[in-house]
Amino acid sequence: MSTASPNNSMTGGGLVTGEPEASLPTIPRERSGVFELPTGLMDLAAAGPIHRLRYAGGHVGWIVTDFELCRKVLTMPEFSSRPDLRHSAIHEAIGDGQPPEERPGMFVGMDPPEHTHYRRIVAAALRLGEMRKLEADIADRANALFDAGTDETVDLVSKVASPLPALVITELLGVEEAVSHTLTRCLERMLSLESSADEVRQMFGIIFDELGEVVARRSADRAPGFITNMIADGQLSRDEMTSVAFQLYTAGHETTTNMIALSYLHLLLNPKAANAIRGDGSAINDAVEEYLRFFSIIQFGISRAALQEVELGGVIIGPGETITVSLPAANFDARRFPDPHILDITRRDRGHLAFGFGVHQCVAQQLARVELTVALRVFLERYDTFALDSYEMKADTIVHGLTRLSVRPSR
């Protein structure tokens, strides 16, 4: 079995011979609207389940758009999560949200068994039962944020959707609120495709240094939070604990912020949908899952590196080649989700890949679900007091979402 070369590639639509690298597609990035997928992504998916893809740094890899193949890649040990082996389809330093540098304890970029050791420590603290204990506190915080928005026009991104997850994750970790403001600003720049590689690395360094100082302070004062729990557990070094805190902060903030904002926008544009689920906990849970599927805000997917020659979907992935799992395309696969382009908050389907799949499935997903559920419930309780004023979609960032969602008092 021979390895396919960049100039002799096969796709799900058939064999493409002699195709120059410059003519290969890059990952679709532009959107025509906030509720539309990146332009051209579904055309690519319709042409076949797997295609050659030209990456940001010149690497020629692959993109998978089929739901079942995406799940398969994310469970195969032949594909590695190590960032030193992978290439980025969109930015030389950002990748798919991976830190730009390797640090001890950065388990999102590890393969089992190293990954398993760290994940077990974190997962125990983030079980659904433990996260549900936070519901009342999250609701209190959300209500306080809404109450503070007393201006004639209120931006729900800056006033609610962004600070709420930041407050929750920093309290959970045991990070001071002042530090959280610094981390939030740095994280936004770190995830921006407009930032240079040097700027991304600089922001990562600032975040890591800030969290390292928090770990040092918690070692001295043992203030409550997950960082202090890790210190008491004694299994991890200071650098490892800093890396774990970094990963939990990034997983528990930017993605949740944008999910909340997009969900609010949909409900503001669809009063019937809002009224249909208001006060109904089960219906709100269903809505959360559909929002997760439909928005698929990790819009450029997840990458893996082939450790050896692999046959996948009728093509040969060569050792060292990067493959991008398109989470949005998978979540819009009509063979898995009937009428996938319809945002149906009554769908009641829990099979989406918004949190990934396999051993690297988002460790903070239950926290995200609880935050989204509570944020929607509190918003719906106040729904009749709001009218949509305007909104602005994010551009040039790896996380799809809104930069602004302005509302005014309902007349």
Side-chain angles (χ1 to χ4, degrees):
M1 187 175 294
S2 61
T3 302
S5 70
N7 292 320
N8 185 18
S9 61
M10 291 184 289
T11 74
L15 181 66
V16 180
T17 57
E19 188 172 12
E21 291 182 9
S23 69
L24 293 173
T26 57
I27 196 163
R29 286 173 52 168
E30 302 299 322
R31 291 176 183 254
S32 61
V34 69
F35 296 137
E36 302 294 330
L37 287 176
T39 304
L41 180 62
M42 296 317 293
D43 290 338
L44 195 66
I50 182 168
H51 300 268
R52 275 299 199 185
L53 190 71
R54 181 159 47 90
Y55 281 60
H59 177 76
V60 174
W62 302 85
I63 184 168
V64 183
T65 58
D66 173 83
F67 180 88
E68 291 300 334
L69 278 186
C70 286
R71 291 211 329 171
K72 185 175 182 179
V73 169
L74 295 175
T75 59
M76 293 176 68
E78 293 88 347
F79 292 108
S80 174
S81 293
R82 285 173 49 187
D84 59 310
L85 300 179
R86 296 184 285 149
H87 297 268
S88 170
I90 53 171
H91 191 285
E92 61 177 303
I94 299 176
D96 50 25
Q98 285 271 115
E101 298 176 14
E102 278 300 285
R103 300 284 182 111
M106 205 68 74
F107 64 91
V108 294
M110 296 178 181
D111 299 326
E114 292 83 6
H115 167 267
T116 309
H117 166 66
Y118 294 103
R119 186 180 176 93
R120 186 179 294 120
I121 293 171
V122 177
L126 297 178
R127 291 189 296 264
L128 180 58
E130 294 299 314
M131 296 303 96
R132 283 181 172 161
K133 294 177 183 178
L134 302 175
E135 286 188 7
D137 181 61
I138 296 172
D140 288 344
R141 288 188 175 278
N143 276 305
L145 291 169
F146 275 112
D147 289 341
T150 56
D151 297 336
E152 181 68 14
T153 302
V154 176
D155 174 21
L156 293 183
V157 173
S158 63
K159 297 299 184 182
V160 180
S162 181
L164 180 61
L167 289 167
V168 172
I169 194 61
T170 50
E171 181 175 351
L172 186 68
L173 288 171
V175 173
E176 298 89 343
E177 189 171 329
V179 175
S180 177
H181 295 317
T182 299
L183 300 182
T184 297
R185 290 193 299 270
C186 290
L187 183 60
E188 289 175 354
R189 288 183 61 188
M190 195 184 91
L191 297 179
S192 172
L193 298 178
E194 295 182 340
S195 296
S196 68
D198 286 343
E199 288 174 320
V200 169
R201 296 186 184 99
Q202 179 187 15
M203 292 304 104
F204 170 72
I206 293 173
I207 296 173
F208 203 91
D209 289 346
E210 288 280 349
L211 287 172
E213 292 176 7
V214 172
V215 172
R217 289 195 293 273
R218 297 298 83 82
S219 297
D221 62 23
R222 299 301 175 103
F226 182 65
I227 290 174
T228 294
N229 294 345
M230 288 192 292
I231 294 167
D233 186 56
Q235 294 189 60
L236 304 180
S237 69
R238 173 176 166 175
D239 282 349
E240 288 174 315
M241 288 187 285
T242 301
S243 292
V244 169
F246 171 90
Q247 291 163 101
L248 287 179
Y249 186 85
T250 54
H253 180 241
E254 186 71 8
T255 51
T256 308
T257 287
N258 288 289
M259 278 299 309
I260 292 172
L262 289 167
S263 302
Y264 285 178
L265 175 60
H266 176 256
L267 292 172
L268 286 165
L269 292 170
N270 295 273
K272 288 184 179 179
N275 291 328
I277 66 173
R278 181 162 45 188
D280 186 335
S282 178
I284 291 174
N285 289 339
D286 290 338
V288 164
E289 296 303 320
E290 175 67 350
Y291 286 142
L292 287 164
R293 178 198 73 85
F294 190 89
F295 296 136
S296 296
I297 59 173
I298 306 300
Q299 57 182 333
F300 304 122
I302 300 172
S303 64
R304 295 288 185 265
L307 297 173
Q308 62 191 60
E309 186 177 279
V310 181
E311 183 175 356
L312 183 75
V315 309
I316 303 301
I317 311 297
E321 291 188 325
T322 300
I323 185 167
T324 293
V325 173
S326 177
L327 302 179
N331 284 336
F332 275 65
D333 187 337
R335 288 168 295 186
R336 175 60 183 80
F337 301 100
D339 300 317
H341 291 275
I342 296 175
L343 202 173
D344 178 6
I345 60 175
T346 67
R347 190 179 291 270
R348 297 185 178 180
D349 197 322
R350 300 294 195 267
H352 59 75
L353 300 184
F355 292 115
F357 193 70
V359 297
H360 279 281
Q361 192 172 36
C362 178
V363 71
Q365 63 177 290
Q366 302 304 351
L367 174 61
R369 283 190 167 97
V370 169
E371 287 184 283
L372 286 168
T373 300
V374 174
L376 284 183
R377 188 179 72 225
V378 172
F379 174 72
L380 288 166
E381 289 169 356
R382 299 165 175 263
Y383 184 80
D384 290 337
T385 66
F386 297 124
L388 177 63
D389 182 74
S390 61
Y391 65 90
E392 182 179 4
M393 183 173 64
K394 277 182 178 287
D396 292 320
T397 181
I398 70 167
V399 180
H400 176 50
L402 302 177
T403 58
R404 177 176 51 80
L405 176 58
S406 298
V407 294
R408 60 185 185 277
S410 178
R411 302 300 184 190

